[in-house]
Amino acid sequence: MRLPALSAALLLVCVAALLGLRTAGGHGSNDATGFVAPVAMDLPNYLRPAADPAFGTSIIRITKPGALGNGVVCGPKYCSHRYSSAQAWNADQTLLLLDNGCNGMCFLDGHTYEALFWRKRGGECEWHPRSAELMICVQDRAVSTWAPRTNHEDVLFTSPDYHDLQFGPSKGNPSRDGSRIAVRAVRKDGADVVFAFDLNQRSKFPDIDLSQVPGTASSCTISPLGTHILCFQNLLDGTEQRAIFTVDGTLSQRWTDHHRPGHGDLTIDADGSEVYVGISKSNPDKFQVIKRRLSDGKATSLTAYGQAEHASARAIAKGDWVFLSYGGDPDEVSANPGWAPYAREVIALRIDGSGAVRRIVQTRNPPSDYWSETHASPSPDGSQVIWSSNWGVPGGPVYEFVSRLDWSEYKNPKEVVSNDQP
């Protein structure tokens, strides 16, 4: 059993923090307004928590190349969660899924990170946000729910009128209550369509023909409230646009400016509006983190120009916070005081415009390839964050880490305020 050792190690982390380590990520605030130079740290041992010397936050390495136990095997190059906007933990955080570079869908204990079991299956599956034992899966001609522990599957929809069903692909999520998803499909007449599907009623909404908007749809997802479908459209000139439909098929918004935003996630703003939060690649807010309202396209900038790479709103219990993975060169960031002062860090940013920031961890992750990108993604309650790093060795093994967060001192959003807003 590793649990006693894990608890003891976590106690040492807390003691170290009390002895003087800065604790913006774990408990309080260090200089949230300025650049913090990289602090050297040895690679943590597998399943042995350590403290980030920059911020005092716990760091637990949860993978290593080779066998992890119970048939779970990590590849030599990388072994990680799927993506920043995909939920890695199930609803009650008892299970944690790794499905990049593992020998199938690999399930770990959601708190101790011990390897539990693995499954082989096709298609795309995402955790049900309320039913902890279930995943929602889309494959070939079927939509189903699937229980990984028991391997039981319940088919909710199948039809000879559609084939090549996809959950997104890659960037699909269910609605907040788990009742609806967006399904990409090829209709029997050859049309590329998307439709909303109600899992509770086991019924589909009308087809939305994607040829009505320019470009090729790369992915579609339902909105958090299940009222809209957001599709990503790639044009021949390299422009990446957005199309927003109501679930009955009405085209309500087209965002024709390139990637404004992208690499992001959907959440619900304080006023109840559904927003897409991500990184803009167009003026007037190029390379700023912005939120954009689905109802009318209004964009609000949340940070200064910076090196943010991915945004995740998977901490649905902390819906007013987005978790950001920053890359960049620390030397370049430090030389530009007008930029957002984060390089190779994971932070949490409050999206209400206050500039409240939690600096979580330095990733020590120089750029290499896609699989080594940090892709930080929080647990449903925001108490854990999973992220990837090559730990200073470009081209070397990419490990998976978890940092744990204490939100007890963050009841007031004004406690940690950054000046990096535009």
Side-chain angles (χ1 to χ4, degrees):
M1 291 290 289
R2 294 184 184 270
L3 185 56
L6 189 64
S7 300
L10 284 173
L11 179 60
L12 289 176
V13 169
C14 296
V15 171
L18 291 172
L19 291 175
L21 288 171
R22 289 168 291 186
T23 57
H27 302 281
S29 165
N30 81 306
D31 183 9
T33 66
F35 174 78
V36 177
V39 182
M41 181 182 181
D42 290 338
L43 175 68
N45 292 325
Y46 174 60
L47 291 185
R48 297 292 178 179
D52 176 17
F55 303 129
T57 321
S58 67
I59 299 176
I60 306 167
R61 178 160 67 94
I62 66 169
T63 65
K64 61 180 180 179
L68 302 187
N70 291 319
V72 173
V73 180
C74 279
K77 294 183 178 180
Y78 58 87
C79 189
S80 63
H81 64 294
R82 190 172 67 73
Y83 188 61
S84 52
S85 62
Q87 180 53 257
W89 280 270
N90 65 343
D92 64 4
Q93 298 180 211
T94 55
L95 291 175
L96 173 62
L97 172 63
L98 305 179
D99 56 359
N100 295 330
C102 210
N103 62 323
M105 299 178 71
C106 298
F107 295 87
L108 312 184
D109 184 289
H111 296 286
T112 68
Y113 319 116
E114 296 275 3
L116 298 179
F117 61 93
W118 64 281
R119 297 280 184 256
K120 282 282 190 183
R121 65 162 297 139
E124 294 178 276
C125 299
E126 299 292 341
W127 287 114
H128 193 292
R130 293 191 176 176
S131 299
E133 295 304 312
L134 295 181
M135 301 194 81
I136 302 166
C137 301
V138 178
Q139 181 181 11
D140 297 333
R141 295 180 181 269
V143 177
S144 62
T145 56
W146 173 59
R149 290 185 191 270
T150 64
N151 214 18
H152 175 75
E153 186 166 16
D154 184 12
V155 176
L156 308 180
F157 171 82
T158 185
S159 170
D161 295 332
Y162 304 89
H163 60 91
D164 293 341
L165 271 60
Q166 294 178 302
F167 197 167
S170 300
K171 296 182 180 180
N173 274 311
S175 58
R176 281 271 180 98
D177 63 2
S179 66
R180 292 179 179 180
I181 64 172
V183 180
R184 288 281 305 284
V186 178
R187 201 166 55 200
K188 64 180 178 180
D189 62 1
D192 185 13
V193 301
V194 63
F195 56 82
F197 181 78
D198 190 302
L199 282 73
N200 296 333
Q201 300 298 320
R202 302 193 177 200
S203 62
K204 67 179 290 296
F205 285 74
D207 291 349
I208 301 171
D209 191 333
L210 292 171
S211 67
Q212 66 182 284
V213 290
T216 302
S218 61
S219 185
C220 297
T221 185
I222 202 81
S223 65
L225 297 177
T227 57
H228 291 82
I229 293 174
L230 170 68
C231 290
F232 303 82
Q233 300 292 123
N234 292 327
L235 276 63
L236 291 176
D237 63 0
T239 303
E240 186 179 291
Q241 300 184 1
R242 310 284 179 256
I244 297 99
F245 303 91
T246 62
V247 290
D248 65 6
T250 301
L251 179 62
S252 61
Q253 284 281 306
R254 272 194 66 211
W255 301 344
T256 58
D257 31 10
H258 171 58
H259 214 281
R260 187 169 182 255
H263 295 295
D265 203 355
L266 288 161
T267 188
I268 301 172
D269 218 341
D271 63 0
S273 300
E274 296 176 304
V275 293
Y276 183 51
V277 184
I279 296 89
S280 173
K281 292 187 180 178
S282 293
N283 291 325
D285 40 37
K286 192 171 185 178
F287 296 116
Q288 298 173 23
V289 177
I290 68 171
K291 64 179 178 181
R292 197 160 185 182
R293 201 156 55 197
L294 298 191
S295 61
D296 59 8
K298 180 184 177 182
T300 302
S301 187
L302 301 174
T303 69
Y305 180 104
Q307 301 295 311
E309 295 180 336
H310 296 279
S312 178
R314 291 302 90 201
I316 57 178
K318 299 285 182 184
D320 53 347
W321 291 83
V322 63
F323 288 68
L324 301 173
S325 303
Y326 273 83
D329 181 343
D331 291 338
E332 183 182 19
V333 174
S334 65
N336 287 276
W339 291 11
Y342 316 113
R344 300 175 191 171
E345 282 188 41
V346 176
I347 72 167
L349 170 71
R350 200 175 182 108
I351 66 169
D352 62 356
S354 66
V357 167
R358 296 198 64 176
R359 303 185 80 155
I360 297 171
V361 69
Q362 290 186 342
T363 64
R364 299 161 181 84
N365 191 30
S368 179
D369 57 19
Y370 173 81
W371 296 111
S372 67
E373 291 180 6
T374 297
H375 292 162
S377 183
S379 61
D381 68 356
S383 67
Q384 304 182 81
V385 186
I386 191 168
W387 47 279
S388 306
S389 174
N390 57 29
W391 210 258
V393 184
V398 177
Y399 306 99
E400 197 79 337
F401 301 86
V402 172
S403 290
R404 294 180 175 178
L405 305 179
D406 176 9
W407 288 91
S408 62
E409 296 185 16
Y410 284 82
K411 297 178 182 179
N412 183 349
K414 296 181 179 180
E415 287 181 5
V416 183
V417 179
S418 171
N419 63 0
D420 72 337
Q421 295 187 85

